[in-house]
């Protein structure tokens, strides 16, 4: 059974090591069945920065992260989007 949980954070928070470490734990809890295992800080930085470039997200904009599972169950990850102001 997949969790129906959502995380909220700002990109500014990722500049603080304690927030990045906490986000890694929370993302790993969102998708505990991820084949690659728990998210590392480097993976989270790369994932968020890649998404940010495509989404044109500002540093202070609220970001929402939620789990994504493919229909066949073989692909498990998180999806990011911005929250309306």
């Amino acid at each position: 059974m997949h969790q129906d949980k959502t995380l909220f954070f700002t990109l500014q928070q990722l500049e603080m090591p304690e927030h990045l470490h906490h986000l890694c734990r929370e993302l790993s809890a969102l998708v505990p069945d991820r084949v690659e295992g728990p998210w590392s800080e480097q993976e989270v930085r790369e994932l968020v920065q890649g998404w940010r470039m495509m989404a044109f997200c500002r540093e202070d904009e609220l970001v929402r992260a939620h789990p994504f599972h493919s229909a066949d169950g073989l692909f498990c990850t998180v999806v990011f989007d911005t929250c309306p102001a």
Side-chain angles (χ1 to χ4, degrees):
M1 195 60 138
H2 304 303
Q3 294 180 345
D4 195 23
K5 187 176 178 185
T6 302
L7 298 176
F8 296 94
F9 62 95
T10 65
L11 297 176
Q12 291 171 332
Q13 291 175 315
L14 299 182
E15 300 301 320
M16 296 175 266
E18 65 276 3
H19 286 285
L20 180 58
H21 184 71
H22 178 74
L23 182 60
C24 289
R25 285 195 323 260
E26 292 295 318
L27 289 174
S28 296
L30 269 182
V31 190
D33 50 350
R34 182 175 177 253
V35 174
E36 296 85 356
W39 293 91
S40 71
E41 291 181 8
Q42 182 63 30
E43 286 177 308
V44 170
R45 274 192 207 98
E46 290 173 2
L47 184 66
V48 170
Q49 290 305 319
W51 168 80
R52 178 184 176 209
M53 291 172 61
M54 293 186 299
F56 303 106
C57 182
R58 296 186 318 265
E59 290 288 323
D60 61 342
E61 205 165 358
L62 194 60
V63 177
R64 177 175 42 204
H66 49 92
F68 170 83
H69 294 80
S70 62
D72 60 9
L74 297 176
F75 185 67
C76 307
T77 191
V78 291
V79 176
F80 300 108
D81 57 19
T82 54
C83 299

